[in-house]
Amino acid sequence: MSNSVKTILAIVVLVLIGGGLFLAASSKTNNSNSGNKAPSTHSTTTDATKTQTQKSTTTPNAAAAADTITYDGSSFSPSSLTVKVGDAIEITNQSSASLAFNSDQHPTHTDEPELNVGTIDAGQTKTFNVTKAGSWGYHNHLNPSQKGMIVAQ
Ligand SMILES: [Cu+2]
C-alpha cells in the first residue's frame, strides 16, 4: 500500500509540475503575443512613413513638369529658374529661329557643361538635368546678350 501511495503522490507531483510548466509556457506565449503586437504597430508606423516618403517623392516629380524654360526669340522665361538638383528641365524654343542653349561663359561654356544643350530648332523642346548645386548662367550662343539663370538647390 505504501508503494501505491508513493506512486500516487509522485503522479500528483508530476501533474502539478507539469501544470506549472504549462502555465509558465502559456504566460510566455502570452508575453510573446503581446510582444508581437508592439512590432506590428511599429510596422504600421513604418508603412505610414513609407507612404509619406512616396508622397514627398511624387511631389518633386510633379514639380519637375513645371521646370520649364521658354525662349521667345528675344529672352528666356523665367529669367531665373529655381530647381532641385537632378530635376529634369525642359527648354522650349517658341521662336521661329534656331536657339543655341549653352552654359556661361561665352564662348567657352565651361561653367556648368550640363547646360550645354546646344542647338534647339524652332518649335522644338529639349530636356536636360542639372546635377550640381549652384547658380548657373546660360545664354543663347547665337546671341550671347540673351541670358538666363538656373538655380539648382
Ligand atoms: Cu556662347
Side-chain angles (χ1 to χ4, degrees):
M1 285 297 285
S2 70
N3 278 347
S4 296
V5 170
K6 282 182 184 175
T7 302
I8 290 169
L9 283 175
I11 289 171
V12 168
V13 168
L14 286 174
V15 167
L16 286 176
I17 292 172
L21 286 176
F22 177 76
L23 286 176
S26 297
S27 67
K28 276 183 185 174
T29 305
N30 286 340
N31 284 342
S32 65
N33 276 347
S34 59
N36 284 342
K37 282 178 186 173
S40 72
T41 304
H42 283 302
S43 70
T44 303
T45 306
T46 307
D47 288 345
T49 307
K50 280 180 184 173
T51 304
Q52 286 175 350
T53 306
Q54 286 168 350
K55 280 179 183 173
S56 65
T57 305
T58 304
T59 305
N61 287 345
D67 290 339
T68 60
I69 300 169
T70 56
Y71 173 73
D72 64 4
S74 60
S75 64
F76 295 95
S77 179
S79 57
S80 179
L81 176 71
T82 300
V83 301
K84 289 189 176 175
V85 167
D87 273 3
I89 302 169
E90 283 187 356
I91 166 68
T92 298
N93 180 2
Q94 294 181 336
S95 77
S96 56
S98 284
L99 160 70
F101 191 94
N102 282 105
S103 165
D104 285 353
Q105 295 286 325
H106 180 74
T108 54
H109 308 156
T110 54
D111 280 7
E112 167 48 313
E114 289 177 306
L115 271 59
N116 288 325
V117 178
T119 301
I120 304 169
D121 292 331
Q124 297 300 300
T125 297
K126 288 192 176 179
T127 303
F128 63 101
N129 300 86
V130 177
T131 60
K132 292 184 213 165
S135 297
W136 309 110
Y138 61 85
H139 62 276
N140 176 9
H141 184 58
L142 305 176
N143 193 341
S145 66
Q146 299 172 342
K147 291 176 162 294
M149 179 78 74
I150 293 171
V151 180
Q153 296 176 330

